[in-house]
Amino acid sequence: MKEEKESNSESKSADLLHQFEQILESNPLIDEVGFIHPSQFAKLYEEAGDDIAIPSSADATFWSRDHKLGVSTQVLLPLYTAAKHAFMAAIGEYKRFGDDVVSDDRVESEVMMHSRALLLLSSDFGTAWNSRKLVVSKKQHLSKFMDELLLSELVLSYSPKSDHAWSHRRWVIKLVGGKCSTLQEIVRKESELVEKIAERSKMNYRAWNHRCWLVSYMTREQVLHELKKSRNWAELHVADNCCFHYRSRLMLRILKDLSCKQENASSDYVEIHKVWKEELDWNEMLIKRYIGREALWLHRRFLSLCWMEQFATDLCNASCHSEQKTSISTVFGSFVDNELRLLDSCSTVLSNDFDDFQAQATLSATYILWLTKQIPEFQSELQEKKLTAGNLKSMLSKMCPERSCLWDSLMGLDGNV
Amino acid sequence: MGELAAKKHVQYILSVEKRKDDLVSVVMEHLRMNGAYWGLTTLDLLGKLDNVDVDKVVSWVMECQHESGGFGGNIGHDPHILYTLSAVQILALFDKLNVLDVDKVTNYIAGLQNEDGSFSGDMWGEVDTRFSYISLCCLSILRRLNKINAEKAVNYIVSCKNLDGGFGSTPGGESHAGQIFCCVGALALTGSLHHIDKDLLGWWLCERQVKSGGLNGRPEKLPDVCYSWWVLSSLIMIDRVHWINKEKLVQYILDCQDTENGGISDRPDDAVDVYHTYFGVAGLSLLEYPGLKAIDPAYALPVDVVNRIFFGK
């Protein structure tokens, strides 16, 4: 009796899997998968204007329209179990064929079909991703590789943080990158994909990490274009540190290119100087507009550190002419003046009731303290301007007493920087 | 102030082990090896490892090993370095490292080192500083660090250092407390902590503590109990743990307990899981919470287990 019941439910699960795979097979353009509660099915049918054949919620399993596929949360467990068994059986058979036999097309397509179903239910099932790599790399067809990018994108539509799905893309790109002339096109599309996913999935480390990885494959033009494009995005997502890190990655790439290059270096230098200055101004504008945002201040730490190291601290360089030295020293002085004005305008806590203003004041004072620790010239300039560490410390201890251990350690108990 | 519901957590972990047919447990089955490590280490820290059938666990672990020497996340799953470390750590917990063919595991790991010193996670070539830590930790436990090029491994990790003092997964990757733990741990295991600007990194790490006392893993993120481990262990390794407020962190972790059914969650009142239960208990252990065994911040194993490996006691 029990056995009969089990085999009955097994065959039901197999039917489910078959149905699921049929839908995927018949509509290769499906670009989004989601899991929906049975009670939501009726609503989906209603919204789509289907007044015919609305299934009762007990029968509703799959919903597909406009290249979107919904799977009922009620069938996930039996569907997953069936997909896993089918996949494990197929990959087992595939591996038994070994390398010496030109593997059977049937087994191969079963591996691909079942691994796809499985990955759409369990995005980090590594063995299923690997099986696809195995099959595709034996085939070496460009179109098969590109299909993998599509599947990965589909998986990311329901699981945007899937480590394996992102990694699978890099595996594909590394392999096709050398072979095809469309690498730049792929890089462009990848970057757009990250942006699309980042919109729905905030501060997605895996997604932005992928975009950072792309930077080494970009041409200089692409880097500049990305810098321009991501600026708008960053303005709309000022708390998303990932995007600011991405911008710092792009900017460092431009700097690195400059240091590797000899010809036309001076015109590039001027351009980079401009890029940096614009970023500093833009960041300052954002800091004043969006009060108390940590990501904006951390980005400023990065910008100022590089700015001073790159453009304003060649003071001791013996090869400098004295004219240059004077001009560098002026640039440096006015930079420090500007940062102190910023501190001044941000450290006035208008009202103790507002956490944001408190945060802004703490972040601004921490920022100045951070620079004094990283750049010795900055510290000596501050002392000339009569801003002592004691002032900073009393500010920080008042505004942010919870970090008093840090302030004490950094500045000594008596307030010496 | 609430206390650690140690008994409940033990019950919770033992119950998870038995639960095999709901959706949450089946979609995690590909990383059961990691789950086993989290659960068993928690039990050991709570002094209750003797509730487990050692032979059963060890034979299951060994069934996950492949011809290549690497371990899968479960029986029939492909090998990966992520599961290989967990397998080795589990065997170390039970003092069963002697069941391993050490050369075989060593060869698997050494074979994953790349020309630039980095490590791939498996034969498919994804590179990440997490894999560097795992390799170095595994080989150190097996006392085979001499089988790889440790100098190059260190240089690769240093190349992933950012201007904020933190580390990313590859050169130019964003700083993340989890990646920082891996890089600091790897440098600690190879005696290379001098590559770190401790004040700079310590500053970034202690800025992870938010008002509630909990730690986040990156700027602007919500606190999460798992960072009690990643951030705290890093701060200890670089000797800057006195920069954070320990009392508030203890309180935050205790607030994330399910005092009725056991287990710890990422944030107060969320659903508990083994992963956060382990990191919560391990964090409390680093904070010297009474009644818990001490845990080693670099090996992520109880200190007595580490001592047994290296000093045979």
Side-chain angles (χ1 to χ4, degrees):
Chain A
M1 193 60 191
K2 197 184 163 211
E3 267 173 35
E4 197 179 304
K5 209 174 160 192
E6 266 176 21
S7 82
N8 194 10
S9 87
E10 251 175 52
S11 86
K12 256 192 177 168
S13 302
D15 285 348
L16 271 177
L17 177 64
H18 184 67
Q19 215 184 330
F20 184 48
E21 288 174 341
Q22 277 293 305
I23 296 172
L24 294 169
E25 203 62 37
S26 63
N27 189 354
L29 295 177
I30 287 177
D31 61 9
E32 198 179 329
V33 176
F35 305 134
I36 39 188
H37 193 266
S39 63
Q40 290 172 301
F41 270 85
K43 211 174 156 220
L44 278 170
Y45 279 99
E46 253 173 53
E47 273 172 15
D50 276 338
D51 44 16
I52 39 152
I54 297 178
S56 75
S57 68
D59 302 330
T61 343
F62 302 107
W63 176 90
S64 178
R65 203 187 177 91
D66 301 332
H67 311 310
K68 313 288 172 223
L69 172 61
V71 182
S72 164
T73 49
Q74 215 156 37
V75 300
L76 285 179
L77 184 57
L79 189 55
Y80 167 84
T81 312
K84 193 194 86 179
H85 287 315
F87 164 72
M88 287 302 211
I91 188 65
E93 198 178 346
Y94 183 79
K95 283 183 178 164
R96 272 195 300 279
F97 274 118
D99 288 330
D100 42 296
V101 186
V102 181
S103 34
D104 189 302
D105 275 353
R106 177 189 61 82
V107 185
E108 202 175 84
S109 64
E110 275 187 11
V111 169
M112 294 305 270
M113 185 166 73
H114 299 317
S115 61
R116 175 171 62 185
L118 183 55
L119 290 169
L120 290 173
L121 300 163
S122 176
S123 62
D124 279 317
F125 203 109
T127 308
W129 286 112
N130 294 344
S131 72
R132 302 186 67 87
K133 293 188 177 88
L134 198 62
V135 171
V136 172
S137 52
K138 265 191 195 161
K139 290 273 165 185
Q140 293 289 329
H141 289 163
L142 185 60
S143 71
K144 296 278 178 216
F145 281 112
M146 300 316 267
D147 285 348
E148 292 308 294
L149 292 182
L150 289 178
L151 175 68
S152 152
E153 187 173 343
L154 191 54
V155 169
L156 291 169
S157 77
Y158 84 91
S159 181
K161 292 181 179 170
S162 168
D163 204 6
H164 278 92
W166 288 110
S167 159
H168 198 64
R169 306 191 79 75
R170 289 188 283 277
W171 177 80
V172 170
I173 295 166
K174 276 188 262 181
L175 282 178
V176 301
K179 285 190 211 115
C180 68
S181 52
T182 55
L183 180 63
Q184 297 319 315
E185 181 63 12
I186 293 176
V187 169
R188 188 181 63 77
K189 281 192 183 154
E190 290 297 298
S191 178
E192 280 172 10
L193 174 72
V194 172
E195 191 162 313
K196 191 176 93 182
I197 289 175
E199 189 63 46
R200 300 188 278 113
S201 164
K202 301 291 178 231
M203 298 192 253
N204 182 333
Y205 187 78
R206 295 280 153 223
W208 286 95
N209 204 45
H210 185 70
R211 207 173 186 183
C212 283
W213 174 81
L214 292 169
V215 174
S216 59
Y217 290 88
M218 288 177 189
T219 60
R220 187 183 154 81
E221 284 65 39
Q222 274 181 314
V223 171
L224 290 171
H225 176 72
E226 286 288 314
L227 204 53
K228 205 171 141 192
K229 210 175 64 166
S230 62
R231 189 162 153 160
N232 296 332
W233 200 92
E235 269 189 49
L236 296 170
H237 305 83
V238 289
D240 201 322
N241 194 62
C242 295
C243 186
F244 292 105
H245 176 79
Y246 179 58
R247 294 183 65 73
S248 71
R249 170 88 180 90
L250 291 166
M251 293 176 80
L252 285 175
R253 160 77 199 274
I254 305 176
L255 265 190
K256 191 172 151 240
D257 288 353
L258 178 76
S259 66
C260 300
K261 197 169 136 187
Q262 296 303 319
E263 311 161 52
N264 296 327
S266 72
S267 70
D268 283 353
Y269 185 86
V270 172
E271 196 189 337
I272 293 170
H273 190 276
K274 199 176 137 230
V275 167
W276 233 272
K277 186 75 180 66
E278 279 174 4
E279 187 84 356
L280 275 163
D281 291 346
W282 173 68
N283 171 266
E284 184 173 337
M285 180 272 287
L286 293 177
I287 280 178
K288 288 175 176 166
R289 187 187 292 171
Y290 301 99
I291 307 297
R293 296 269 52 115
E294 188 183 12
L296 292 174
W297 284 99
L298 292 189
H299 191 50
R300 191 162 194 83
R301 286 185 192 174
F302 160 79
L303 292 172
S304 298
L305 180 64
C306 288
W307 168 269
M308 287 192 280
E309 279 179 348
Q310 198 65 31
F311 306 111
T313 49
D314 284 341
L315 293 166
C316 311
N317 189 341
S319 67
C320 268
H321 298 298
S322 61
E323 273 170 49
Q324 253 178 328
K325 273 192 184 176
T326 327
S327 94
I328 288 173
S329 145
T330 322
V331 169
F332 189 69
S334 67
F335 174 80
V336 176
D337 280 340
N338 186 62
E339 300 317 288
L340 290 181
R341 271 197 304 276
L342 182 64
L343 168 70
D344 225 27
S345 72
C346 295
S347 57
T348 340
V349 180
L350 291 179
S351 156
N352 279 326
D353 298 340
F354 289 111
D355 281 355
D356 290 349
F357 284 99
Q358 193 100 18
Q360 179 88 328
T362 307
L363 287 164
S364 63
T366 317
Y367 160 74
I368 297 292
L369 181 63
W370 193 86
L371 290 183
T372 64
K373 289 288 173 187
Q374 306 313 314
I375 309 266
E377 290 91 338
F378 189 88
Q379 194 192 331
S380 39
E381 189 79 16
L382 278 193
Q383 275 159 358
E384 273 176 41
K385 309 221 188 258
K386 306 274 185 283
L387 179 79
T388 65
N391 296 346
L392 273 180
K393 191 183 169 187
S394 62
M395 269 171 81
L396 285 167
S397 307
K398 198 176 127 216
M399 290 178 306
C400 187
E402 61 268 30
R403 293 221 173 101
S404 54
C405 301
L406 175 64
W407 314 137
D408 287 347
S409 294
L410 285 168
M411 297 185 273
L413 290 170
D414 52 353
N416 288 322
V417 178
Chain B
M1 178 166 164
E3 283 183 9
L4 181 69
K7 262 191 187 158
K8 298 270 184 186
H9 298 324
V10 172
Q11 282 167 11
Y12 166 72
I13 286 168
L14 295 173
S15 76
V16 171
E17 179 10 63
K18 291 189 188 95
R19 205 174 65 190
K20 277 180 189 162
D21 48 5
D22 61 25
L23 188 64
V24 181
S25 52
V26 296
V27 299
M28 299 290 278
E29 67 180 323
H30 62 275
L31 45 80
R32 191 150 180 261
M33 188 68 79
N34 296 147
Y37 158 74
W38 296 324
L40 293 166
T41 310
T42 310
L43 288 180
D44 199 6
L45 293 174
L46 293 165
K48 291 284 185 278
L49 195 58
D50 50 8
N51 284 357
V52 180
D53 182 342
V54 182
D55 295 337
K56 211 171 121 195
V57 177
V58 170
S59 70
W60 173 76
V61 168
M62 294 313 288
E63 260 191 272
C64 296
Q65 193 178 23
H66 287 250
E67 213 24 63
S68 61
F71 286 79
N74 207 332
I75 297 170
H77 289 243
D78 286 356
H80 193 284
I81 209 162
L82 279 166
Y83 313 118
T84 304
L85 174 61
S86 286
V88 169
Q89 284 170 320
I90 292 169
L91 295 174
L93 284 176
F94 290 119
D95 198 11
K96 290 283 181 190
L97 286 171
N98 58 333
V99 305
L100 278 178
D101 180 342
V102 172
D103 289 337
K104 203 167 157 181
V105 182
T106 304
N107 287 339
Y108 175 73
I109 296 169
L112 291 170
Q113 189 171 32
N114 301 305
E115 197 41 47
D116 62 359
S118 67
F119 283 84
S120 300
D122 64 9
M123 62 177 283
W124 300 106
E126 175 80 350
V127 168
D128 192 311
T129 45
R130 282 182 297 162
F131 308 150
S132 298
Y133 164 74
I134 288 173
S135 304
L136 294 167
C137 186
C138 229
L139 292 180
S140 180
I141 291 173
L142 300 175
R143 312 181 78 164
R144 291 291 187 285
L145 269 181
N146 58 330
K147 298 290 181 189
I148 49 148
N149 189 329
E151 191 188 339
K152 275 189 168 183
V154 167
N155 290 340
Y156 180 77
I157 291 164
V158 172
S159 77
C160 297
K161 188 161 69 174
N162 290 316
L163 288 167
D164 57 19
F167 294 83
S169 55
T170 48
E174 186 186 353
S175 296
H176 180 296
Q179 304 287 157
I180 290 172
F181 161 78
C182 291
C183 294
V184 174
L187 295 176
L189 292 172
T190 48
S192 319
L193 284 173
H194 58 276
H195 288 288
I196 295 178
D197 181 338
K198 291 176 183 150
D199 282 349
L200 183 62
L201 176 59
W203 191 334
W204 190 93
L205 287 169
C206 83
E207 285 182 323
R208 301 300 110 240
Q209 188 163 39
V210 301
K211 284 238 158 81
S212 64
L215 298 162
N216 63 19
R218 281 179 286 148
E220 305 267 14
K221 295 277 285 182
L222 291 171
D224 181 324
V225 158
C226 73
Y227 294 106
S228 313
W229 170 262
W230 308 118
V231 174
L232 209 51
S233 55
S234 305
L235 281 170
I236 291 174
M237 287 187 273
I238 62 168
D239 195 21
R240 293 295 179 277
V241 75
H242 51 287
W243 283 5
I244 62 156
N245 187 325
K246 294 189 199 175
E247 292 75 27
K248 281 184 88 172
L249 179 58
V250 169
Q251 190 54 54
Y252 178 82
I253 299 173
L254 294 176
D255 286 345
C256 294
Q257 299 180 99
D258 180 338
T259 47
E260 221 167 280
N261 302 308
I264 299 176
S265 54
D266 55 352
R267 281 179 280 284
D269 301 323
D270 278 0
V272 303
D273 57 53
V274 183
Y275 174 85
H276 288 95
T277 306
Y278 162 64
F279 286 113
V281 172
L284 289 172
S285 163
L286 290 175
L287 293 161
E288 297 168 329
Y289 191 89
L292 293 175
K293 274 197 192 181
I295 188 164
D296 184 280
Y299 288 101
L301 284 171
V303 169
D304 63 344
V305 173
V306 176
N307 285 343
R308 192 170 60 208
I309 296 168
F310 294 103
F311 309 110
K313 55 183 176 189

